[in-house]
Short mmCIF file of all heavy atoms in Angstrom, two decimals:
data_model
loop_
_atom_site.label_atom_id
_atom_site.label_comp_id
_atom_site.label_asym_id
_atom_site.label_seq_id
_atom_site.Cartn_x
_atom_site.Cartn_y
_atom_site.Cartn_z
N MET M 1 29.15 38.49 12.16
CA MET M 1 28.53 38.35 13.48
C MET M 1 29.50 38.97 14.54
O MET M 1 30.72 38.94 14.36
CB MET M 1 28.38 36.85 13.82
CG MET M 1 27.75 36.63 15.17
SD MET M 1 27.58 34.89 15.71
CE MET M 1 26.92 34.09 14.31
N ASN M 2 28.89 39.59 15.52
CA ASN M 2 29.72 40.17 16.56
C ASN M 2 30.44 39.10 17.36
O ASN M 2 29.98 37.97 17.44
CB ASN M 2 28.81 40.99 17.51
CG ASN M 2 28.22 42.24 16.82
OD1 ASN M 2 28.93 42.88 16.09
ND2 ASN M 2 27.00 42.48 17.11
N LYS M 3 31.52 39.47 17.96
CA LYS M 3 32.29 38.52 18.76
C LYS M 3 31.98 38.66 20.19
O LYS M 3 32.55 39.51 20.89
CB LYS M 3 33.79 38.69 18.52
CG LYS M 3 34.13 38.38 17.07
CD LYS M 3 35.55 38.25 16.80
CE LYS M 3 35.78 37.83 15.37
NZ LYS M 3 37.09 37.43 15.10
N TYR M 4 31.08 37.82 20.71
CA TYR M 4 30.71 37.83 22.14
C TYR M 4 31.62 36.90 22.92
O TYR M 4 31.97 35.83 22.42
CB TYR M 4 29.24 37.40 22.28
CG TYR M 4 28.28 38.39 21.68
CD1 TYR M 4 27.73 38.22 20.40
CD2 TYR M 4 27.89 39.47 22.47
CE1 TYR M 4 26.76 39.16 19.93
CE2 TYR M 4 26.96 40.36 22.00
CZ TYR M 4 26.43 40.23 20.69
OH TYR M 4 25.55 41.11 20.24
N HIS M 5 31.90 37.30 24.12
CA HIS M 5 32.70 36.47 25.04
C HIS M 5 31.82 35.26 25.49
O HIS M 5 30.63 35.44 25.75
CB HIS M 5 33.13 37.19 26.26
CG HIS M 5 33.93 36.42 27.20
ND1 HIS M 5 35.27 36.09 27.01
CD2 HIS M 5 33.52 35.77 28.33
CE1 HIS M 5 35.68 35.31 28.03
NE2 HIS M 5 34.59 35.06 28.80
N ILE M 6 32.45 34.09 25.56
CA ILE M 6 31.72 32.88 26.05
C ILE M 6 32.41 32.38 27.31
O ILE M 6 33.66 32.19 27.31
CB ILE M 6 31.78 31.75 24.99
CG1 ILE M 6 31.04 32.26 23.75
CG2 ILE M 6 31.10 30.50 25.54
CD1 ILE M 6 31.20 31.28 22.55
N ASN M 7 31.65 32.24 28.38
CA ASN M 7 32.19 31.67 29.58
C ASN M 7 31.85 30.14 29.56
O ASN M 7 30.72 29.79 29.12
CB ASN M 7 31.43 32.22 30.86
CG ASN M 7 31.88 33.65 31.15
OD1 ASN M 7 33.01 34.00 30.97
ND2 ASN M 7 30.91 34.46 31.59
N VAL M 8 32.74 29.35 30.00
CA VAL M 8 32.51 27.88 30.01
C VAL M 8 32.95 27.43 31.44
O VAL M 8 34.02 27.79 31.93
CB VAL M 8 33.34 27.12 28.99
CG1 VAL M 8 33.06 25.60 29.13
CG2 VAL M 8 32.97 27.64 27.60
N PHE M 9 32.03 26.70 32.10
CA PHE M 9 32.35 26.21 33.41
C PHE M 9 31.66 24.89 33.67
O PHE M 9 30.63 24.58 33.00
CB PHE M 9 31.99 27.24 34.50
CG PHE M 9 30.50 27.59 34.53
CD1 PHE M 9 29.59 26.96 35.27
CD2 PHE M 9 30.10 28.63 33.69
CE1 PHE M 9 28.24 27.32 35.26
CE2 PHE M 9 28.75 29.04 33.64
CZ PHE M 9 27.82 28.36 34.41
N TYR M 10 32.22 24.14 34.61
CA TYR M 10 31.59 22.87 35.01
C TYR M 10 30.55 23.07 36.06
O TYR M 10 30.78 23.86 37.02
CB TYR M 10 32.64 21.84 35.50
CG TYR M 10 31.98 20.50 35.77
CD1 TYR M 10 31.80 19.60 34.74
CD2 TYR M 10 31.61 20.12 37.02
CE1 TYR M 10 31.24 18.41 34.95
CE2 TYR M 10 31.05 18.89 37.22
CZ TYR M 10 30.80 18.05 36.18
OH TYR M 10 30.24 16.81 36.43
N SER M 11 29.39 22.48 35.93
CA SER M 11 28.29 22.63 36.92
C SER M 11 28.10 21.29 37.64
O SER M 11 27.72 20.32 36.99
CB SER M 11 27.01 23.02 36.20
OG SER M 11 25.96 22.88 37.07
N ASP M 12 28.38 21.25 38.93
CA ASP M 12 28.18 20.05 39.67
C ASP M 12 26.70 19.68 39.71
O ASP M 12 26.33 18.46 39.63
CB ASP M 12 28.66 20.20 41.13
CG ASP M 12 30.17 20.20 41.20
OD1 ASP M 12 30.82 19.51 40.44
OD2 ASP M 12 30.70 20.89 42.13
N ASP M 13 25.82 20.70 39.76
CA ASP M 13 24.39 20.44 39.82
C ASP M 13 23.88 19.77 38.56
O ASP M 13 23.03 18.91 38.59
CB ASP M 13 23.61 21.72 40.04
CG ASP M 13 23.82 22.29 41.45
OD1 ASP M 13 24.22 21.54 42.37
OD2 ASP M 13 23.59 23.51 41.61
N ASP M 14 24.41 20.22 37.40
CA ASP M 14 23.96 19.68 36.12
C ASP M 14 24.83 18.50 35.62
O ASP M 14 24.50 17.85 34.67
CB ASP M 14 24.02 20.78 35.04
CG ASP M 14 23.03 21.93 35.39
OD1 ASP M 14 21.86 21.59 35.73
OD2 ASP M 14 23.45 23.06 35.30
N GLU M 15 25.96 18.29 36.34
CA GLU M 15 26.93 17.27 35.97
C GLU M 15 27.36 17.35 34.51
O GLU M 15 27.32 16.38 33.80
CB GLU M 15 26.33 15.86 36.27
CG GLU M 15 26.11 15.65 37.78
CD GLU M 15 25.53 14.29 38.12
OE1 GLU M 15 25.15 13.51 37.16
OE2 GLU M 15 25.40 14.00 39.27
N GLY M 16 27.70 18.59 34.12
CA GLY M 16 28.21 18.81 32.78
C GLY M 16 28.66 20.22 32.70
O GLY M 16 28.73 20.99 33.64
N PHE M 17 29.04 20.64 31.49
CA PHE M 17 29.57 21.96 31.23
C PHE M 17 28.48 22.91 30.70
O PHE M 17 27.62 22.55 29.90
CB PHE M 17 30.69 21.88 30.22
CG PHE M 17 31.90 21.15 30.73
CD1 PHE M 17 32.01 19.81 30.70
CD2 PHE M 17 32.86 21.91 31.40
CE1 PHE M 17 33.10 19.14 31.24
CE2 PHE M 17 33.99 21.25 31.97
CZ PHE M 17 34.10 19.88 31.88
N ILE M 18 28.55 24.19 31.23
CA ILE M 18 27.66 25.24 30.79
C ILE M 18 28.50 26.26 30.06
O ILE M 18 29.63 26.64 30.52
CB ILE M 18 27.03 25.90 32.02
CG1 ILE M 18 26.30 24.86 32.90
CG2 ILE M 18 26.10 27.08 31.57
CD1 ILE M 18 25.14 24.23 32.31
N ALA M 19 27.99 26.70 28.94
CA ALA M 19 28.58 27.82 28.20
C ALA M 19 27.53 28.95 28.13
O ALA M 19 26.35 28.67 27.91
CB ALA M 19 28.90 27.38 26.77
N ASP M 20 27.94 30.15 28.57
CA ASP M 20 27.04 31.28 28.47
C ASP M 20 27.64 32.44 27.87
O ASP M 20 28.85 32.61 27.82
CB ASP M 20 26.40 31.50 29.86
CG ASP M 20 27.33 32.37 30.74
OD1 ASP M 20 28.50 32.04 30.78
OD2 ASP M 20 26.83 33.29 31.39
N ILE M 21 26.82 33.37 27.39
CA ILE M 21 27.26 34.61 26.75
C ILE M 21 26.69 35.75 27.62
O ILE M 21 25.52 36.02 27.59
CB ILE M 21 26.76 34.74 25.28
CG1 ILE M 21 27.34 33.56 24.49
CG2 ILE M 21 27.17 36.09 24.70
CD1 ILE M 21 26.84 33.48 23.07
N PRO M 22 27.58 36.31 28.45
CA PRO M 22 27.12 37.31 29.47
C PRO M 22 26.40 38.52 28.85
O PRO M 22 25.51 39.09 29.53
CB PRO M 22 28.37 37.76 30.20
CG PRO M 22 29.31 36.63 29.95
CD PRO M 22 28.98 36.05 28.60
N ASP M 23 26.74 38.93 27.65
CA ASP M 23 26.13 40.10 27.02
C ASP M 23 24.70 39.85 26.58
O ASP M 23 23.94 40.77 26.36
CB ASP M 23 26.92 40.60 25.83
CG ASP M 23 28.25 41.28 26.26
OD1 ASP M 23 28.22 42.03 27.23
OD2 ASP M 23 29.29 41.03 25.52
N LEU M 24 24.30 38.59 26.46
CA LEU M 24 23.00 38.26 25.97
C LEU M 24 22.17 37.49 27.05
O LEU M 24 22.48 36.31 27.30
CB LEU M 24 23.10 37.42 24.71
CG LEU M 24 23.89 38.01 23.54
CD1 LEU M 24 23.97 37.08 22.37
CD2 LEU M 24 23.34 39.35 23.13
N LYS M 25 21.18 38.14 27.60
CA LYS M 25 20.38 37.58 28.67
C LYS M 25 19.83 36.22 28.31
O LYS M 25 19.20 36.11 27.23
CB LYS M 25 19.31 38.57 29.07
CG LYS M 25 18.64 38.25 30.37
CD LYS M 25 17.73 39.34 30.78
CE LYS M 25 17.08 39.08 32.07
NZ LYS M 25 16.23 40.15 32.53
N PHE M 26 20.05 35.23 29.09
CA PHE M 26 19.50 33.87 28.92
C PHE M 26 20.10 33.17 27.79
O PHE M 26 19.52 32.08 27.32
CB PHE M 26 17.98 33.87 28.88
CG PHE M 26 17.30 34.51 30.00
CD1 PHE M 26 16.45 35.65 29.79
CD2 PHE M 26 17.55 34.14 31.27
CE1 PHE M 26 15.84 36.26 30.84
CE2 PHE M 26 16.89 34.72 32.36
CZ PHE M 26 16.06 35.78 32.18
N CYS M 27 21.24 33.52 27.25
CA CYS M 27 21.86 32.82 26.16
C CYS M 27 22.91 31.86 26.71
O CYS M 27 24.00 32.32 27.01
CB CYS M 27 22.49 33.75 25.15
SG CYS M 27 23.05 32.93 23.65
N SER M 28 22.52 30.61 26.88
CA SER M 28 23.44 29.64 27.44
C SER M 28 23.10 28.27 26.90
O SER M 28 22.05 28.05 26.27
CB SER M 28 23.37 29.64 29.00
OG SER M 28 22.08 29.21 29.41
N ALA M 29 24.01 27.25 27.15
CA ALA M 29 23.80 25.91 26.62
C ALA M 29 24.60 24.93 27.52
O ALA M 29 25.55 25.33 28.24
CB ALA M 29 24.27 25.88 25.21
N PHE M 30 24.26 23.72 27.37
CA PHE M 30 24.83 22.62 28.20
C PHE M 30 25.53 21.64 27.27
O PHE M 30 25.11 21.44 26.09
CB PHE M 30 23.66 21.87 28.90
CG PHE M 30 24.15 20.65 29.65
CD1 PHE M 30 24.69 20.74 30.91
CD2 PHE M 30 24.08 19.38 29.01
CE1 PHE M 30 25.13 19.58 31.58
CE2 PHE M 30 24.53 18.27 29.64
CZ PHE M 30 25.05 18.34 30.94
N GLY M 31 26.61 21.02 27.76
CA GLY M 31 27.24 19.92 27.02
C GLY M 31 28.02 19.01 27.98
O GLY M 31 28.34 19.40 29.10
N ASP M 32 28.27 17.81 27.52
CA ASP M 32 29.02 16.88 28.27
C ASP M 32 30.46 17.18 28.34
O ASP M 32 31.20 16.75 29.26
CB ASP M 32 28.83 15.47 27.74
CG ASP M 32 27.41 14.90 27.98
OD1 ASP M 32 26.77 15.22 29.02
OD2 ASP M 32 26.91 14.15 27.12
N THR M 33 30.98 17.95 27.37
CA THR M 33 32.36 18.43 27.33
C THR M 33 32.33 19.94 27.10
O THR M 33 31.36 20.49 26.67
CB THR M 33 33.10 17.79 26.16
OG1 THR M 33 32.54 18.22 24.91
CG2 THR M 33 33.08 16.24 26.23
N PRO M 34 33.46 20.60 27.39
CA PRO M 34 33.48 22.04 27.11
C PRO M 34 33.26 22.35 25.65
O PRO M 34 32.55 23.30 25.29
CB PRO M 34 34.93 22.45 27.52
CG PRO M 34 35.36 21.41 28.49
CD PRO M 34 34.69 20.11 28.06
N GLN M 35 33.81 21.51 24.77
CA GLN M 35 33.65 21.72 23.35
C GLN M 35 32.13 21.65 22.91
O GLN M 35 31.65 22.42 22.11
CB GLN M 35 34.50 20.76 22.49
CG GLN M 35 36.02 20.88 22.72
CD GLN M 35 36.49 20.20 23.94
OE1 GLN M 35 35.81 19.62 24.76
NE2 GLN M 35 37.84 20.25 24.13
N GLU M 36 31.50 20.67 23.45
CA GLU M 36 30.06 20.42 23.14
C GLU M 36 29.26 21.63 23.64
O GLU M 36 28.34 22.10 22.96
CB GLU M 36 29.58 19.14 23.72
CG GLU M 36 28.17 18.77 23.38
CD GLU M 36 27.72 17.49 23.93
OE1 GLU M 36 28.50 16.50 23.93
OE2 GLU M 36 26.57 17.45 24.38
N ALA M 37 29.55 22.09 24.83
CA ALA M 37 28.85 23.28 25.38
C ALA M 37 29.01 24.48 24.49
O ALA M 37 28.06 25.21 24.26
CB ALA M 37 29.28 23.57 26.79
N VAL M 38 30.30 24.71 24.00
CA VAL M 38 30.49 25.89 23.13
C VAL M 38 29.76 25.69 21.78
O VAL M 38 29.16 26.64 21.30
CB VAL M 38 32.04 26.05 22.93
CG1 VAL M 38 32.32 27.06 21.81
CG2 VAL M 38 32.71 26.51 24.20
N GLN M 39 29.78 24.52 21.27
CA GLN M 39 29.05 24.23 19.99
C GLN M 39 27.53 24.56 20.14
O GLN M 39 26.96 25.22 19.34
CB GLN M 39 29.22 22.79 19.53
CG GLN M 39 30.57 22.55 19.00
CD GLN M 39 30.81 21.01 18.66
OE1 GLN M 39 30.09 20.19 19.20
NE2 GLN M 39 31.78 20.73 17.86
N GLU M 40 27.03 24.14 21.25
CA GLU M 40 25.61 24.35 21.57
C GLU M 40 25.30 25.81 21.77
O GLU M 40 24.24 26.27 21.34
CB GLU M 40 25.15 23.47 22.73
CG GLU M 40 25.17 22.00 22.47
CD GLU M 40 24.19 21.59 21.32
OE1 GLU M 40 23.16 22.15 21.26
OE2 GLU M 40 24.57 20.64 20.61
N VAL M 41 26.19 26.56 22.45
CA VAL M 41 25.90 27.95 22.68
C VAL M 41 26.05 28.76 21.45
O VAL M 41 25.36 29.79 21.29
CB VAL M 41 26.77 28.55 23.90
CG1 VAL M 41 28.16 28.97 23.44
CG2 VAL M 41 26.05 29.68 24.54
N MET M 42 26.84 28.28 20.48
CA MET M 42 26.89 28.97 19.20
C MET M 42 25.54 28.84 18.49
O MET M 42 25.07 29.78 17.78
CB MET M 42 28.03 28.44 18.35
CG MET M 42 29.41 28.72 18.97
SD MET M 42 29.71 30.47 19.25
CE MET M 42 29.77 31.13 17.59
N VAL M 43 24.88 27.71 18.61
CA VAL M 43 23.53 27.52 18.02
C VAL M 43 22.60 28.44 18.75
O VAL M 43 21.73 29.14 18.13
CB VAL M 43 23.09 26.01 18.13
CG1 VAL M 43 21.65 25.91 17.71
CG2 VAL M 43 23.97 25.15 17.31
N ALA M 44 22.66 28.45 20.10
CA ALA M 44 21.80 29.40 20.93
C ALA M 44 21.99 30.88 20.50
O ALA M 44 21.07 31.60 20.43
CB ALA M 44 22.06 29.09 22.40
N LEU M 45 23.22 31.25 20.29
CA LEU M 45 23.60 32.60 19.88
C LEU M 45 22.86 32.96 18.57
O LEU M 45 22.20 34.00 18.47
CB LEU M 45 25.09 32.73 19.75
CG LEU M 45 25.56 34.05 19.06
CD1 LEU M 45 25.11 35.29 19.89
CD2 LEU M 45 27.07 34.02 18.91
N GLU M 46 22.96 32.08 17.58
CA GLU M 46 22.34 32.37 16.31
C GLU M 46 20.81 32.50 16.49
O GLU M 46 20.21 33.45 15.95
CB GLU M 46 22.63 31.23 15.35
CG GLU M 46 22.17 31.48 13.98
CD GLU M 46 22.65 30.43 12.95
OE1 GLU M 46 23.71 29.90 13.12
OE2 GLU M 46 21.87 30.11 12.02
N LEU M 47 20.19 31.61 17.25
CA LEU M 47 18.77 31.68 17.47
C LEU M 47 18.37 32.92 18.23
O LEU M 47 17.36 33.56 18.00
CB LEU M 47 18.29 30.39 18.19
CG LEU M 47 18.42 29.13 17.39
CD1 LEU M 47 18.09 27.92 18.22
CD2 LEU M 47 17.50 29.16 16.11
N TRP M 48 19.24 33.28 19.29
CA TRP M 48 18.96 34.47 20.09
C TRP M 48 18.93 35.70 19.21
O TRP M 48 18.02 36.54 19.27
CB TRP M 48 20.06 34.54 21.16
CG TRP M 48 19.71 35.53 22.30
CD1 TRP M 48 19.35 35.15 23.54
CD2 TRP M 48 19.78 36.95 22.28
NE1 TRP M 48 19.13 36.28 24.31
CE2 TRP M 48 19.41 37.43 23.54
CE3 TRP M 48 20.15 37.91 21.31
CZ2 TRP M 48 19.35 38.76 23.91
CZ3 TRP M 48 20.10 39.25 21.65
CH2 TRP M 48 19.72 39.68 22.92
N LEU M 49 19.95 35.81 18.34
CA LEU M 49 20.08 37.00 17.51
C LEU M 49 18.92 37.03 16.43
O LEU M 49 18.30 38.10 16.19
CB LEU M 49 21.39 37.03 16.75
CG LEU M 49 22.64 37.19 17.65
CD1 LEU M 49 23.91 37.03 16.84
CD2 LEU M 49 22.62 38.56 18.36
N GLU M 50 18.55 35.90 15.88
CA GLU M 50 17.41 35.82 14.97
C GLU M 50 16.10 36.28 15.63
O GLU M 50 15.33 37.00 15.04
CB GLU M 50 17.23 34.40 14.40
CG GLU M 50 18.29 34.02 13.42
CD GLU M 50 18.15 32.58 12.91
OE1 GLU M 50 17.16 31.90 13.31
OE2 GLU M 50 19.07 32.10 12.29
N GLU M 51 15.82 35.80 16.85
CA GLU M 51 14.65 36.08 17.57
C GLU M 51 14.58 37.62 17.91
O GLU M 51 13.57 38.26 17.78
CB GLU M 51 14.49 35.23 18.85
CG GLU M 51 13.27 35.63 19.67
CD GLU M 51 11.96 35.47 18.93
OE1 GLU M 51 11.83 34.65 17.98
OE2 GLU M 51 11.01 36.15 19.24
N ALA M 52 15.73 38.12 18.33
CA ALA M 52 15.80 39.55 18.70
C ALA M 52 15.49 40.40 17.48
O ALA M 52 14.72 41.38 17.56
CB ALA M 52 17.14 39.91 19.29
N ALA M 53 16.12 40.04 16.34
CA ALA M 53 15.86 40.82 15.07
C ALA M 53 14.36 40.69 14.69
O ALA M 53 13.78 41.71 14.27
CB ALA M 53 16.75 40.29 13.98
N ALA M 54 13.81 39.52 14.76
CA ALA M 54 12.42 39.27 14.33
C ALA M 54 11.43 40.03 15.28
O ALA M 54 10.37 40.46 14.84
CB ALA M 54 12.07 37.79 14.35
N SER M 55 11.85 40.20 16.50
CA SER M 55 11.00 40.94 17.53
C SER M 55 11.31 42.35 17.65
O SER M 55 10.75 43.02 18.54
CB SER M 55 11.11 40.21 18.90
OG SER M 55 10.85 38.84 18.81
N ASN M 56 12.20 42.88 16.81
CA ASN M 56 12.65 44.27 16.85
C ASN M 56 13.16 44.63 18.25
O ASN M 56 12.96 45.79 18.70
CB ASN M 56 11.52 45.22 16.47
CG ASN M 56 11.19 45.06 14.99
OD1 ASN M 56 12.05 44.91 14.15
ND2 ASN M 56 9.91 45.08 14.68
N LYS M 57 13.85 43.69 18.90
CA LYS M 57 14.49 43.99 20.18
C LYS M 57 15.89 44.44 19.92
O LYS M 57 16.58 43.93 18.97
CB LYS M 57 14.44 42.73 21.11
CG LYS M 57 13.03 42.39 21.47
CD LYS M 57 13.01 41.25 22.46
CE LYS M 57 11.55 40.97 22.85
NZ LYS M 57 11.41 39.80 23.67
N PRO M 58 16.47 45.32 20.78
CA PRO M 58 17.89 45.71 20.58
C PRO M 58 18.83 44.51 20.79
O PRO M 58 18.58 43.64 21.62
CB PRO M 58 18.06 46.75 21.69
CG PRO M 58 16.96 46.54 22.69
CD PRO M 58 15.83 45.87 21.99
N ILE M 59 19.87 44.54 20.00
CA ILE M 59 20.93 43.55 20.06
C ILE M 59 22.10 44.27 20.61
O ILE M 59 22.72 45.18 20.00
CB ILE M 59 21.25 42.93 18.72
CG1 ILE M 59 20.00 42.21 18.16
CG2 ILE M 59 22.41 41.93 18.81
CD1 ILE M 59 20.07 41.66 16.79
N PRO M 60 22.50 43.91 21.87
CA PRO M 60 23.61 44.62 22.48
C PRO M 60 24.99 44.30 21.79
O PRO M 60 25.18 43.28 21.32
CB PRO M 60 23.67 44.05 23.94
CG PRO M 60 22.78 42.86 23.90
CD PRO M 60 21.92 42.88 22.72
N GLU M 61 25.77 45.34 21.75
CA GLU M 61 27.14 45.20 21.31
C GLU M 61 27.94 44.36 22.29
O GLU M 61 27.62 44.48 23.52
CB GLU M 61 27.79 46.54 21.11
CG GLU M 61 27.24 47.32 19.96
CD GLU M 61 27.48 46.70 18.61
OE1 GLU M 61 28.57 46.20 18.37
OE2 GLU M 61 26.53 46.72 17.73
N PRO M 62 28.93 43.60 21.87
CA PRO M 62 29.76 42.87 22.84
C PRO M 62 30.51 43.89 23.73
O PRO M 62 31.21 44.74 23.21
CB PRO M 62 30.73 42.12 21.96
CG PRO M 62 30.15 42.16 20.59
CD PRO M 62 29.31 43.40 20.50
N LYS M 63 30.32 43.71 25.05
CA LYS M 63 31.04 44.58 25.99
C LYS M 63 31.74 43.78 27.08
O LYS M 63 32.73 44.33 27.66
CB LYS M 63 30.02 45.58 26.63
CG LYS M 63 29.50 46.58 25.63
CD LYS M 63 28.59 47.54 26.31
CE LYS M 63 28.09 48.54 25.26
NZ LYS M 63 27.13 49.43 25.79
N TYR M 64 31.26 42.64 27.39
CA TYR M 64 31.78 41.86 28.52
C TYR M 64 33.26 41.50 28.30
O TYR M 64 33.57 40.95 27.23
CB TYR M 64 30.91 40.61 28.79
CG TYR M 64 31.48 39.78 29.91
CD1 TYR M 64 31.12 40.05 31.22
CD2 TYR M 64 32.33 38.73 29.67
CE1 TYR M 64 31.59 39.26 32.26
CE2 TYR M 64 32.80 37.93 30.68
CZ TYR M 64 32.43 38.20 31.96
OH TYR M 64 32.93 37.46 33.01
N LYS M 65 34.04 41.75 29.31
CA LYS M 65 35.46 41.31 29.29
C LYS M 65 35.76 40.80 30.63
O LYS M 65 35.58 41.53 31.70
CB LYS M 65 36.40 42.45 28.94
CG LYS M 65 36.29 42.89 27.51
CD LYS M 65 37.36 43.90 27.10
CE LYS M 65 37.15 44.20 25.64
NZ LYS M 65 37.75 45.44 25.34
N PRO M 66 36.28 39.53 30.74
CA PRO M 66 36.63 39.03 32.03
C PRO M 66 37.69 39.94 32.69
O PRO M 66 38.48 40.62 32.05
CB PRO M 66 37.27 37.67 31.77
CG PRO M 66 36.73 37.33 30.41
CD PRO M 66 36.51 38.60 29.67
N ILE M 67 37.73 39.95 34.00
CA ILE M 67 38.63 40.78 34.78
C ILE M 67 40.05 40.59 34.39
O ILE M 67 40.84 41.56 34.37
CB ILE M 67 38.44 40.58 36.29
CG1 ILE M 67 39.14 41.73 37.10
CG2 ILE M 67 38.91 39.26 36.73
CD1 ILE M 67 38.48 43.05 36.96
N ILE M 68 40.43 39.41 33.98
CA ILE M 68 41.86 39.15 33.63
C ILE M 68 42.32 40.00 32.41
O ILE M 68 43.37 40.49 32.33
CB ILE M 68 42.14 37.67 33.34
CG1 ILE M 68 43.64 37.42 33.29
CG2 ILE M 68 41.41 37.17 32.18
CD1 ILE M 68 44.03 35.97 33.38
N TYR M 69 41.36 40.20 31.48
CA TYR M 69 41.67 41.06 30.32
C TYR M 69 41.72 42.55 30.69
O TYR M 69 42.48 43.34 30.12
CB TYR M 69 40.72 40.84 29.14
CG TYR M 69 40.74 39.43 28.62
CD1 TYR M 69 39.63 38.64 28.60
CD2 TYR M 69 41.97 38.91 28.13
CE1 TYR M 69 39.69 37.32 28.12
CE2 TYR M 69 42.00 37.64 27.61
CZ TYR M 69 40.87 36.87 27.62
OH TYR M 69 40.94 35.59 27.16
N GLN M 70 40.91 42.91 31.64
CA GLN M 70 40.86 44.29 32.10
C GLN M 70 42.17 44.65 32.79
O GLN M 70 42.69 45.75 32.62
CB GLN M 70 39.68 44.56 33.02
CG GLN M 70 38.31 44.36 32.30
CD GLN M 70 37.13 44.43 33.24
OE1 GLN M 70 37.19 45.08 34.22
NE2 GLN M 70 36.09 43.70 32.88
N VAL M 71 42.70 43.72 33.63
CA VAL M 71 43.91 43.92 34.37
C VAL M 71 45.07 43.95 33.44
O VAL M 71 46.00 44.76 33.55
CB VAL M 71 44.08 42.86 35.45
CG1 VAL M 71 45.43 42.99 36.09
CG2 VAL M 71 42.93 43.00 36.50
N ALA M 72 45.07 43.14 32.43
CA ALA M 72 46.19 42.99 31.48
C ALA M 72 46.33 44.24 30.64
O ALA M 72 47.44 44.58 30.19
CB ALA M 72 46.00 41.77 30.59
N ALA M 73 45.25 44.93 30.46
CA ALA M 73 45.31 46.19 29.59
C ALA M 73 45.84 47.37 30.33
O ALA M 73 46.16 48.38 29.72
CB ALA M 73 43.87 46.49 29.12
N VAL M 74 46.00 47.30 31.64
CA VAL M 74 46.53 48.41 32.39
C VAL M 74 47.99 48.56 32.29
O VAL M 74 48.78 47.77 32.07
CB VAL M 74 46.10 48.25 33.86
CG1 VAL M 74 46.71 49.38 34.72
CG2 VAL M 74 44.56 48.25 34.02
#
């Protein structure tokens, strides 16, 4: 499986943690803890990739890198 970056952040509106994969449109999940959100987004990732493959939709290569990694590489 490709290694996609996962963002994890606390949402005041949802009163919990959100994990999302920026390279994959609408691939996100919720959890009461950061760990739970990541576990759930890993399930979402698997389902996202399965659905894309079944629908013959392109699966993007991992490209997203947070700005901190871009600056560190300079």
Side-chain angles (χ1 to χ4, degrees):
M1 181 184 314
N2 294 321
K3 295 191 178 195
Y4 291 98
H5 178 81
I6 299 171
N7 289 322
V8 179
F9 58 92
Y10 185 80
S11 169
D12 287 327
D13 291 339
D14 297 313
E15 297 180 352
F17 290 88
I18 306 294
D20 78 318
I21 300 175
D23 286 321
L24 304 178
K25 192 172 184 178
F26 304 122
C27 189
S28 64
F30 173 86
D32 291 326
T33 66
Q35 295 84 356
E36 186 178 317
V38 169
Q39 288 174 339
E40 293 296 324
V41 85
M42 294 305 293
V43 172
L45 169 61
E46 186 175 325
L47 294 172
W48 195 104
L49 294 173
E50 286 176 9
E51 178 59 28
S55 302
N56 293 319
K57 293 184 180 177
I59 298 173
E61 291 294 318
K63 292 182 181 176
Y64 178 85
K65 289 188 179 160
I67 192 73
I68 191 166
Y69 296 122
Q70 295 172 30
V71 172
V74 175

